[in-house]
Amino acid sequence: RYVGQAVKRLYDDKFVTGKSTYVDDIQISALYAGFVRSPYSHAKIKSIDVTDALKVPGIVAVYTYKDLAPLIKDGIRIWTTYEDPRMWKFVPRKPLADDKVRFAGEPVAIVVGVNKYVVRDAIDKVNVDYEKLPSVVKMEEALEDKVIIHEELKTNVAFDQTFNGGNVEEAFKQADKVIPVEITNNRLIPSPMEPRGIVSRYEGGTLTIWYSTQVPHLARNEFARIFGIPASKIRVIMPDVGGAFGSKVNFMPEEVSVIASSIKLGRAVRWTATRSEEMLASEARHNTFKGEVAVKNDGTVLGIRGDLLVDLGAYLTLTAPLQPAIIPLMVPGPYKIKGVSIRSRAVYTTTPPITMYRGASRPEATFIIERIMSIVADELKLDDVTIREKNLVRANEMPYTNPFGLKYDSGDYLALLKDGIQKLQYYELKKWAEEERKKGRKVGVGMAYYLEISGFGPWEFGEIRVDENGDVLVITGGTPHGQGTETAIAQVVADTLQIDINRIKVIWGDTETVVASMGTYGSRTAAAAASAAMVASKEVLEKMKRIAARLLNADVEEIEYESGEFYNKKDKSKKVSWNDVARNGYYGKELGISAQIILPGDVTFPYGVHVAVVEVNDYGIPRVLTYKAYDDIGNVINPALAEGQIHGGAVQAVGQALYEEAIINEDGQLTVTYADYFIPTAVEAPKFESYFVEKPHTSAWPTGAKGVGEAALIVGPAVIIRALEDATGKRFTKTPVRPEDIL
Ligand code: MCN
Ligand code: MO
């Protein structure tokens, strides 16, 4: 059996030896694109003069929006699968700014030339005449609607809905105490190793697009709609992708401009974002919650009400709707709370558009509810574990429907808390830190709990082909881009087919090879895609049993399969090997051995408790010394891969809690280098311990897996902030906490 084993990742050799193929490594004769970007955060475009730029030797074209407009049938829209567009005020985004720019760095013109260097030179020679308009950088300012960013909408408020769950009035009536809370997540920049990149080739009325994405099929469909080209004539290929963290579900105007240019020129055009362009491309988070909590003196949290304010930046991206719409639903978390009422608003500001980043709305919701639990504990002089014990949904109430109607599928939240606190030695560490503090060290220990929604449906695709040699090709709808999920899928298939894992190859991410795909995000692949591959494997075995029955002159009901042999259960000496059946699947009367399936399924809820130890030095600089995790993620397919996810997410949590912030000044000027935006390195990485529960509560997906890809970034910030409070005796209400906040 492979499932449950720490099988080494199948394709790692090429990555660790630098032989992988990212978009920028694709060898094809293509022109290079670059962008003229706005220096202002809000301005009218009065004129654009490209004459000097076109004189630069090697420059093939310079296009503004007016040049590309005839090719564009529709703008970039939002993810309608998740959000009702009638709830949203937005204007479909154009591939380049037209009459106005709305954030510093917005693309205004695309320059195409024979190499990167001439393109860079020509960008500086495009003369744009701007008339500066006032910036709107703060969300509170945007709410006032004094300066309107999209005139046609007549307001900066894109979304305004109140989410009412349970009975809030009742909850506040019964309260012994009402505690105010205020919680802010500042703006972040996910930092995948590989920046965004695209190569677009147009020939014979057909588009071939190599694209650093998490969602090739969705991209194909969107590009088909935007350009009014049949989807059958667009092929999107996802080569190796060097990380994405949710940000590459989004489609960029730059990418649409590159495709438009390739159509217009009838030639291949490529663009790889510089690091600064990548930092502009994927800003994320930034929201505040202000509210109050109704509690009983014994620690029962009865109700929560408040205001959530979400920054969208200048345009509504495909994935931004998730935040204001999902955060409120997840605020109750693993706790039984009588009533929750949240007014959720999202506003436009003259800042880079917000996309999604690892966890997308669950980190925000978890930070809100876990901060609430800890603040309530402090106010009532209760312990962090006790307050959670008091409020957790009990095992006999599962499956539990939360006040907003989300159905938590399986789990024993209380048992996990009790076991986790022991396993992670929370109280021992607390005691140790107290002793150390007496000696003058500023160390502290914190914990937080999380429940997240993962394994999103409504379906995923899987295909299995057994060739005439008996070797197996798995075509998955999953689109792994760093997780190693392809290895987990191979493990599941190898076990189901009972063959050597080395006979299996897993492929993905090409719209002409993969029939259908939803893609990899929302920690869904081990649940959805691996399950689809598993069910397709079972179908393939049924086909092979029919071939074996023919070869053995038996009824198919008499055939059993075990470890590479099909045999007649009435007479075990009558048998035929896997390889012989495979060969006869092709050279006999059969049409080959394969199965394609679309497997339906729905969300699943993993949960866990994490603990961190933090130390602050004399300059107020905090370090996370240790990070420990105890999670129930359903059946664990590959513990090494799952643990790796906890490590990676926890390092990003260190960044979010302590170091990372995309700073934007009042003029809308922003951070676009790592000199101003500090991401943790190996030096800032804590020591890790990661455990998964011995008896997991499985999901309804056939693999029984729940997700783990986002868990540590979902709960980590709350854990680390709590440890920092323990170390300093102060209360912190925002991330990141900076040395000046600590001292
Ligand atoms: N796994 C497992 N058993 C389980 C659950 C997961 O063995 N019960 C393993 C899987 O085999 C896989 C990994 O853990 O190797 C994550 O699986 P899963 O939780 O299903 O998440 P996905 O494969 O769908 O990956 C998406 C998730 C998301 S949403 C973000 S954001 C994120 C993350 O993965 N982006 C990443 N981790 C990342 N890791 C890397 N290196 N790069 C990114 O961009
Ligand atoms: Mo994600």
Side-chain angles (χ1 to χ4, degrees), residues 243-246 357-359 481-485 488 520-527 633-639 641-642 645 705-710:
F245 307 110
Y357 175 33
R358 205 169 193 170
H481 43 274
Q483 297 86 349
T485 329
T520 286
Y521 49 82
S523 301
R524 65 187 299 275
T525 315
I633 61 166
N635 291 337
V636 181
I637 300 175
N638 184 323
L641 292 176
Q645 290 296 311
K706 296 182 176 183
V708 71
E710 297 156 296

Side-chain angles (χ1 to χ4, degrees), residues 691-730:
Y691 308 97
F692 300 104
V693 298
E694 243 162 62
K695 291 204 183 79
H697 294 78
T698 56
S699 73
W701 290 96
T703 55
K706 296 182 176 183
V708 71
E710 297 156 296
L713 188 54
I714 285 171
V715 70
V719 179
I720 293 164
I721 298 295
R722 191 56 172 165
L724 200 56
E725 289 182 338
D726 190 44
T728 60
K730 293 193 172 177

Side-chain angles (χ1 to χ4, degrees), residues 585-602:
Y586 285 84
Y587 303 140
K589 294 174 189 158
E590 318 289 330
L591 272 177
I593 306 169
S594 69
Q596 290 179 337
I597 70 135
I598 295 271
L599 183 71
D602 204 354

